[in-house]
Amino acid sequence: KKEKKKGGGGFGEAYLKPALQEFTGLEKCARSHVVKLIWEHVKGNGLQDEKDKRYIVIDDRLRPLFPSKKRIHMFAMNKELTKHFGERVAAGGSKKKAKKESEDDDDDDDDDDDEDDDDDDDDDDERPKKRKAAAASKPAKKRKGGGGGGFAAPVKLSTELASLL
């Protein structure tokens, strides 16, 4: 039997910013675990709005995470939490860096090899080009006719096919 690989999806661990570190007591954590900890706090302290359980009433412990809110919708909570996550943690436990940042770091280490740095400019051609939004550049074309797909005009049937009908 083949064993299934564990994980693969999701965001994995990320370093937490100070407000979230204070709430969780952790330096790095997966987003899903942070949400679980918040929901444990919400349910344990009865912080769901009585009229609409989708809303969370912000208490003193949640205030540093959502400073401008008195209550927050559970989906908006996930959006607001994004501000409190730092860089992602690599599988080995070190911070993941963007490609450009790691190239810049490599350049700092190799001050003697400035001649080779000119070759790195060719990598720009391999990056995918950004597409322009079609809606912003051209107005949408209006279709004429019924617009139901299929044939645009009636088709004459052969005599053999017509005899079957």
Side-chain angles (χ1 to χ4, degrees):
K1 283 184 173 180
K2 287 186 178 180
E3 291 186 30
K4 289 185 178 181
K5 291 183 181 180
K6 188 176 181 181
F11 290 102
E13 286 190 333
Y15 288 94
L16 307 180
K17 292 189 179 174
L20 203 50
Q21 281 183 7
E22 186 178 321
F23 181 84
T24 62
L26 303 169
E27 181 182 331
K28 56 187 176 183
C29 187
R31 182 185 188 93
S32 57
H33 188 67
V34 169
V35 172
K36 183 188 280 188
L37 291 173
I38 290 174
W39 274 107
E40 285 175 5
H41 174 73
V42 168
K43 294 203 177 210
N45 293 295
L47 298 177
Q48 283 181 284
D49 191 331
E50 290 298 320
K51 293 180 181 177
D52 190 348
K53 299 271 186 188
R54 296 175 297 174
Y55 284 91
I56 298 167
V57 177
I58 305 300
D59 68 349
D60 292 334
R61 188 158 176 226
L62 290 172
R63 179 102 25 239
L65 299 176
F66 314 108
S68 62
K69 311 275 187 191
K70 291 182 180 179
R71 68 180 196 150
I72 190 166
H73 194 276
M74 63 183 183
F75 294 131
M77 174 191 73
N78 287 315
K79 181 180 174 185
E80 292 287 323
L81 280 177
T82 303
K83 300 173 188 173
H84 299 287
F85 285 94
E87 294 182 21
R88 290 178 53 191
V89 178
S94 62
K95 292 181 181 180
K96 283 190 177 180
K97 295 181 180 178
K99 183 178 178 183
K100 187 168 186 134
E101 290 178 35
S102 63
E103 287 175 1
D104 290 345
D105 290 346
D106 291 342
D107 291 344
D108 292 342
D109 295 340
D110 302 330
D111 290 336
D112 300 337
D113 298 331
D114 288 340
E115 295 171 11
D116 294 338
D117 290 343
D118 294 337
D119 294 339
D120 292 339
D121 293 338
D122 296 338
D123 292 341
D124 292 338
D125 296 336
E126 296 175 14
R127 292 186 188 145
K129 306 270 186 195
K130 290 185 180 178
R131 293 184 182 178
K132 293 182 181 178
S137 61
K138 295 180 184 177
K141 294 181 180 180
K142 293 184 180 180
R143 290 186 172 182
K144 295 180 181 178
F151 295 109
V155 177
K156 187 174 182 181
L157 297 176
S158 66
T159 55
E160 295 169 349
L161 190 54
S163 67
L164 293 175
L165 297 175

